[in-house]
Amino acid sequence: MTARDRLIVALDLPGAEEARRMAARLRGHAGQMKVGSQLFTAEGPSLVRELAGDGWPVFLDLKFHDIPNTVASAVEAASALGVSLLTVHALGGPEMLQAAVEAARRAGERRPRVLAITVLTSHDQAGLARLGVAGTVEECVRRLALLAREAGADGAVASPREAAVVREACGPGFLIVTPGIRPAGAPKGDQARHAVPGVALAAGADYLVVGRPVLSAPDPASAAVAIVAAMEAALR
């Protein structure tokens, strides 16, 4: 897998036309496109099918969190769209996670890989305390990643600061997808736990998710190329 394959660009954009233009500009410069809540709510499944049909591996990041039967049905529907990765919340519990994994497996050879959301990158220690979550952020991420692995999930989503903890706990075969990536000098925005690309890869991340540093750049393709170059340097 090349460094470019490891770069997922988050299409956090208001509509299909903007998403199509961005995907076209990034062709050959990024490995996957992520469709999250904003774009999916605006455009629905048709755009996901379109991107997948256009040859893009699609990361559907809708963070399913509901009763097991409802999540299983949602995963089946997502699998039919041809997505490569999808997310569910680890806080949904082992039964929900198992239902999601089993639903994905029913899709056969083209099944999506199921990733468990651990702790959102917008949370910090104080935020977890306000929610009544016990332990440190690292402890919580580790618990949830292990829960996901035991339920059969393919991997987890964790910030760069906890990637090493997840890798140590869950082993080399467990995928780690890391948001909160900010190139040197980029504003952190609402990401409380972030890092530059090289730090995240060194910590054990398999894929890096980048949104605003690419989308807001004067030349998104050049921004993606620069990020991939930083990733290649780190991987060497």
Side-chain angles (χ1 to χ4, degrees):
M1 184 165 60
T2 68
R4 187 186 70 187
D5 294 333
R6 295 171 179 255
L7 175 61
I8 302 173
V9 173
L11 292 177
D12 296 331
L13 295 164
E17 285 307 312
E18 295 92 338
R20 290 187 189 108
R21 286 196 296 269
M22 186 60 66
R25 295 178 76 173
L26 295 173
R27 176 75 67 183
H29 304 303
Q32 296 190 44
M33 295 288 109
K34 180 174 87 72
V35 175
S37 297
Q38 178 188 12
L39 188 57
F40 192 85
T41 301
E43 298 294 344
S46 61
L47 181 62
V48 176
R49 289 194 193 96
E50 180 181 329
L51 289 167
D54 202 28
W56 281 108
V58 177
F59 174 20
L60 185 64
D61 186 22
L62 298 182
K63 301 177 175 69
F64 298 134
H65 187 176
D66 212 311
I67 62 172
N69 184 68
T70 298
V71 168
S73 296
V75 170
E76 286 182 357
S79 300
L81 299 178
V83 303
S84 298
L85 301 170
L86 61 82
T87 51
V88 300
H89 264 288
L91 284 169
E95 293 83 5
M96 189 208 80
L97 288 166
Q98 289 164 7
V101 169
E102 289 165 7
R105 287 174 178 166
R106 287 194 289 272
E109 290 183 3
R110 295 192 62 191
R111 75 173 186 89
R113 290 180 288 181
V114 176
L115 305 173
I117 300 292
T118 54
V119 176
L120 297 174
T121 53
S122 56
H123 287 313
D124 57 14
Q125 193 62 53
L128 285 189
R130 286 194 296 271
L131 293 172
V133 177
T136 66
V137 171
E138 284 192 355
E139 289 167 346
C140 185
V141 169
R142 187 178 189 277
R143 283 198 306 270
L144 292 171
L146 284 170
L147 182 72
R149 189 192 66 174
E150 290 162 7
D154 298 282
V157 179
S159 95
R161 296 191 188 179
E162 293 85 46
V165 171
V166 175
R167 179 61 67 219
E168 181 276 329
C170 296
F174 193 72
L175 282 180
I176 301 174
V177 176
T178 302
I181 301 302
R182 291 292 182 265
K188 71 174 185 177
D190 55 0
Q191 304 283 8
R193 304 185 335 276
H194 57 92
V196 297
V199 169
L201 290 172
D206 294 295
Y207 294 96
L208 306 186
V209 180
V210 184
R212 282 165 283 188
V214 171
L215 304 185
S216 301
D219 183 347
S222 293
V225 168
I227 292 168
V228 169
M231 294 166 67
E232 287 173 340
L235 290 168
R236 284 198 296 269

